[in-house]
Amino acid sequence: MPPQPRAAAPPAPASPRPAAGHIGDSSALSEYTIVRRRSDRPGSGWRRAVHLLSGGLVNPGIGPAEHRRQELALRVRRPLPGPRQIAVVSMKGGVGKTTVTALLGLMLAEHRGDRIVALDANPDAGTLADRLTGKTDSTVRDLLDGVEDVASLSDVARYTTLAGRLQVLASEQDPARSEAFDRAEYERVCAVLARFYNVVVTDSGTGMVHSAMDGTLALTNGLVVVGSLTVDGASRAAKTLDWLVAHGHGRVVERAVVVLSRDRTSKEIDTELLIGYFSARCRAVVVVPHDPHLATGGRIELDALRPATADAFLEIAALVADDFAVDDFAADDSAVGDSAADHFVGAATGTDHDRPGHGA
């Protein structure tokens, strides 16, 4: 009998392809997604103790808290389509606005691979640089005086100080000079920073009516409103939202992140009611626990924070980064900031060999 032809083998199943959104996206390849053994190694708690005592033979894996931190870190690393301006605001002083600005900047700089700068736009001798580096030799006023000579990142770095991987630009410490820091000058500073930095985090100072605040709101791509779990701290945060809505920034309010501090509170305060109120008005609410390291008002060190505090600020950074892919809404529904926003984008898109890339 002649040999019978073999039946054709069934086609092999096609290998699964990554989702279209991840093709060519380098952020999908990181320590957390590639190195399985290292990312599964517990780094804290009883799981880490068991792993160490067994010489690595027993690995209970990471716990829910570490898994949550890894997820938040991946969100912080979200790619950027272009430079972003994040404003941290409060109508009331003493609620931790500068602390939030400092730690938001540190978290973004720690977990991202691009350039982050924290700008102190407080017209009243702000303390952002004191909390981060302790150096205020060069200030935003010095940058303005030499802005015509800025042509590279190294030129800008002459006016900044370094806290970890975060660049810090201090506010003017002389009250006589700081009073002159107005909207036009703020916009000039932001136009320069946008050429060389991917994210600018602005400590906008106390109050909402000074001229520099107009520039901050006109250029912002993301808003963080700071309050506290007290009657005055919560009411001032609510009034800040009211003021923003009344001045045509309703969409920014809807996308805002509200940070409430437990640094000064009471058991008589209905915390859940406050969280529910701000959750209904804004995109997210984060409660920051009391931390002795932050309560001193001195230099801020990430390693000195309690784990719960570090987790809260990592969540704030992740929430801010979630909006990196959202279309720019700096001008919002008010025509006041249109020209300023156009000026900012125009300066940011200029060609320069030191201009940062758009990926994380």
Side-chain angles (χ1 to χ4, degrees):
M1 296 287 293
Q4 297 295 323
R6 292 183 177 180
S15 59
R17 296 189 61 187
H22 294 285
I23 297 177
D25 185 352
S26 61
S27 65
L29 303 180
S30 68
E31 173 186 348
Y32 294 104
T33 58
I34 298 175
V35 187
R36 292 186 57 191
R37 290 184 61 189
R38 183 173 180 183
S39 62
D40 289 340
R41 184 182 303 159
S44 62
W46 67 266
R47 298 169 184 270
R48 180 174 182 272
V50 170
H51 185 261
L52 292 176
L53 291 174
S54 66
L57 297 177
V58 178
N59 185 358
I62 62 174
E66 284 190 81
H67 184 70
R68 169 71 171 161
R69 292 185 193 109
Q70 290 186 3
E71 289 181 339
L72 292 173
L74 287 174
R75 287 165 56 190
V76 173
R77 292 184 176 93
R78 184 183 300 273
L80 273 172
R84 284 293 182 267
Q85 178 90 4
I86 310 300
V88 183
V89 303
S90 173
M91 189 175 284
K92 174 180 170 57
V95 294
K97 176 182 53 59
T98 297
T99 300
V100 171
T101 305
L103 281 163
L104 173 59
L106 287 172
M107 284 295 179
L108 290 172
E110 179 76 12
H111 292 280
R112 295 184 60 83
D114 45 15
R115 299 169 185 165
I116 315 293
V117 62
L119 165 63
D120 194 341
N122 194 326
D124 301 316
T127 60
L128 181 65
D130 291 328
R131 301 295 306 278
L132 285 169
T133 67
K135 299 178 181 179
T136 56
D137 299 334
S138 295
T139 69
V140 66
R141 175 60 56 190
D142 297 319
L143 174 60
L144 281 167
D145 291 342
V147 70
E148 300 299 332
D149 299 324
V150 173
S152 66
L153 179 63
S154 59
D155 292 335
V156 181
R158 292 183 308 182
Y159 305 101
T160 64
T161 52
L162 196 62
R165 298 181 59 189
L166 175 67
Q167 296 285 341
V168 184
L169 182 56
S171 68
E172 178 56 53
Q173 300 300 297
D174 183 355
R177 299 184 71 193
S178 63
E179 290 176 358
F181 187 61
D182 57 20
R183 171 175 176 163
E185 291 174 327
Y186 176 81
E187 290 171 357
R188 290 181 68 194
V189 170
C190 287
V192 171
L193 296 179
R195 293 170 56 195
F196 307 107
Y197 295 93
N198 300 84
V199 181
V200 181
V201 183
T202 299
D203 183 353
S204 56
T206 302
M208 305 296 293
V209 296
H210 55 80
S211 179
M213 176 60 75
D214 290 338
T216 302
L217 296 174
L219 300 179
T220 187
N221 307 107
L223 189 70
V224 178
V225 179
V226 183
S228 62
L229 293 175
T230 61
V231 174
D232 57 344
S235 65
R236 289 299 178 181
K239 290 181 185 297
T240 301
L241 300 180
D242 293 342
W243 189 95
L244 290 167
V245 171
H247 287 77
H249 301 286
R251 190 179 173 200
V252 176
V253 168
E254 292 176 358
R255 301 300 304 169
V257 177
V258 174
V259 178
L260 299 175
S261 171
R262 285 189 183 274
D263 200 45
R264 182 172 61 91
T265 188
S266 167
K267 293 181 179 179
E268 299 177 4
I269 297 295
D270 191 338
T271 301
E272 295 304 319
L273 185 148
L274 291 179
I275 293 175
Y277 170 83
F278 288 108
S279 296
R281 299 193 64 178
C282 302
R283 177 164 58 97
V285 179
V286 179
V287 176
V288 176
H290 171 77
D291 194 298
H293 175 61
L294 299 179
T296 65
R299 289 275 297 275
I300 296 174
E301 301 288 346
L302 281 178
D303 294 341
L305 297 177
R306 288 178 171 177
T309 308
D311 289 347
F313 281 103
L314 182 59
E315 182 179 2
I316 294 169
L319 287 166
V320 168
D322 286 343
D323 253 11
F324 284 169
V326 176
D327 292 339
D328 181 22
F329 50 84
D332 204 41
D333 46 356
S334 170
V336 175
D338 287 348
S339 60
D342 292 341
H343 173 68
F344 176 78
V345 173
T349 54
T351 57
D352 195 292
H353 67 279
D354 277 323
R355 184 182 169 212
H358 295 305

